[in-house]
Amino acid sequence: GGLELKGTLKMWCLDDFQIGRPLGKGRFGAVYLAREQKSHFILALKVLFKSALEKAQLEHQLRREIEILSHLRHPNILRFYNYFHDRTRVFLMLEYAPRGELYKELQRCKCFDETRTATYMEEISDALIYCHAQRVIHRDIKPENLLLGLRGELKLADFGWSVHAPSLRRTTLCGTTDYLAPEMIDGRPHDENVDVWCVGVLCYECLVGSAPFDAPTRLETFRRIKEVRLVFPVWVPDGAKDLISKILNHTPSLRLPLKEIMEHPWVKCKSRRILPPVHKDVNACGV
Ligand SMILES: Clc1ccc(CN2CCN(c3c(Br)cnc4[nH]c(-c5ccc(CN6CCOCC6)cc5)nc34)CC2)cc1
């Protein structure tokens, strides 16, 4: 079962856990495998250093991520159970994704076949339909923020950049440029359709093994994104080319809606999505 609830609102602390191996290091901290002492429940514990967060003025962004994550429950969204902090660190209790990070899998396989790619398209579209229904836009969809569950299903993680739509970006852009939508580059107001753009870029990168607007310099990548200079290798199947071309439209409102991505003939025929058995969500950690 889930992490048992003690009393009404359980205040967690580090002593409640046995810390396992590090799952990865980041700029502001690290993620460890952890086991809750009483229930032996396995989870991922993300440790962030308050000093680093303050220096980068990201405390408000973390507060927003916690606020947003604590209300999201979907099989393709990495579950957030609870959080706690001590004098120097903030701890996020997150679902453990047993099959690791999608981008490492993509590096290992070079590219994915149609079945695997179409299944990911169905899963991420369903997760985003759920987020957008709550006016949450992720804004940072890319292989680095996607994890793989027990059955290889996609788990959308890292809502650090997510906001409530509509929104104007306030903090400077950092990290990969390949997934930026044209309106994000121009700093124009953006809405849920930035996530739809990223689904198109992800579909291309999964099938081809490199991003559609990849270029030697950041500036050239921006130019290719704004022109939507889309070039497919000859072997990309027509169904996938049709889907990607309908998503990667410069005009946000003309992009194929998520529901129609899920119903696209190529996705319908190639996807082998397995939904986990629905279980009554034991009131895990009182979130
Ligand atoms: Cl502060 C910060 C620190 C590190 C990172 C980068 N990753 C973010 C995602 N992290 C994981 C989270 Br959150 C939740 N569940 C996970 N599960 C794993 C994981 C699980 C299994 C493996 C081992 N591989 C699995 C695939 O086969 C080869 C071996 C590697 C990683 N990483 C995470 C791992 C670290 C982001 C932010």
Side-chain angles (χ1 to χ4, degrees):
L3 294 165
E4 301 322 316
L5 203 64
K6 296 176 202 163
T8 47
L9 199 65
K10 160 78 190 146
M11 298 308 282
W12 296 93
C13 75
L14 203 46
D15 295 345
D16 291 320
F17 303 95
Q18 286 163 330
I19 305 301
R21 72 179 181 89
L23 293 170
K25 301 240 181 276
R27 237 176 340 161
F28 303 102
V31 178
Y32 297 88
L33 193 57
R35 187 171 78 165
E36 199 273 322
Q37 304 266 24
K38 303 261 179 322
S39 62
H40 285 190
F41 189 85
I42 296 290
L43 66 155
L45 201 60
K46 189 174 194 177
V47 185
L48 299 165
F49 291 98
K50 287 183 179 177
S51 55
L53 289 169
E54 278 148 18
K55 220 184 308 220
Q57 281 132 28
L58 288 178
E59 313 95 298
H60 71 281
Q61 199 158 308
L62 177 64
R63 259 186 266 281
R64 188 172 54 214
E65 181 179 5
I66 290 174
E67 174 53 34
I68 286 175
L69 273 176
S70 52
H71 294 93
L72 298 179
R73 298 198 184 179
H74 186 280
N76 298 113
I77 295 175
L78 195 78
R79 181 71 191 279
F80 166 89
Y81 298 115
N82 216 323
Y83 79 102
F84 55 93
H85 62 97
D86 63 14
R87 209 170 43 75
T88 57
R89 297 163 295 184
V90 180
F91 301 87
L92 305 187
M93 295 163 62
L94 299 167
E95 174 185 358
Y96 168 62
R99 289 168 64 167
E101 297 170 295
L102 182 83
Y103 88 92
K104 284 194 184 145
E105 185 68 4
L106 188 51
Q107 279 172 350
R108 196 175 62 79
C109 307
K110 293 287 164 269
C111 59
F112 298 140
D113 64 27
E114 292 183 82
T115 302
R116 190 163 179 177
T117 303
T119 306
Y120 290 155
M121 289 306 109
E122 189 176 5
E123 291 168 338
I124 194 160
S125 298
D126 197 34
L128 288 172
I129 287 170
Y130 173 82
C131 291
H132 294 176
Q134 309 190 50
R135 295 243 62 185
V136 170
I137 40 180
H138 187 282
R139 292 201 313 176
D140 199 14
I141 310 275
K142 57 187 177 185
E144 290 78 355
N145 289 338
L146 298 169
L147 295 166
L148 296 168
L150 197 60
R151 298 173 187 82
E153 74 276 21
L154 215 53
K155 298 272 182 180
L156 181 52
D158 207 343
F159 282 69
W161 283 88
S162 57
V163 285
H164 281 98
S167 159
L168 200 59
R169 174 176 44 79
R170 271 183 291 281
T171 27
T172 47
L173 291 173
C174 57
T176 174
T177 49
D178 286 325
Y179 278 71
L180 286 174
E183 60 272 22
M184 287 289 267
I185 294 174
D186 300 337
R188 284 201 305 275
H190 50 272
D191 58 10
E192 289 85 347
N193 287 305
V194 294
D195 287 342
V196 177
W197 173 275
C198 295
V199 169
V201 177
L202 179 71
C203 189
Y204 184 103
E205 182 161 3
C206 284
L207 280 173
V208 176
S210 59
F213 308 110
D214 193 18
T217 67
R218 201 177 158 93
L219 205 63
E220 179 53 26
T221 302
F222 284 168
R223 200 170 297 132
R224 292 188 186 177
I225 291 172
K226 285 150 71 116
E227 282 168 27
V228 194
R229 185 123 59 82
L230 202 47
V231 177
F232 293 102
V234 287
W235 44 267
V236 175
D238 290 344
K241 276 195 283 205
D242 178 69
L243 173 67
I244 294 166
S245 310
K246 284 175 179 166
I247 297 174
L248 296 181
N249 191 308
H250 192 278
T251 311
S253 58
L254 295 181
R255 291 168 196 159
L256 198 65
L258 292 164
K259 195 140 185 44
E260 290 177 46
I261 294 176
M262 291 184 79
E263 282 152 12
H264 188 277
W266 179 74
V267 175
K268 289 307 278 180
C269 109
K270 293 291 175 181
S271 170
R272 294 289 173 273
R273 187 187 188 196
I274 320 154
L275 270 173
V278 181
H279 67 286
K280 177 71 200 81
D281 197 4
V282 181
N283 199 347
C285 318
V287 166

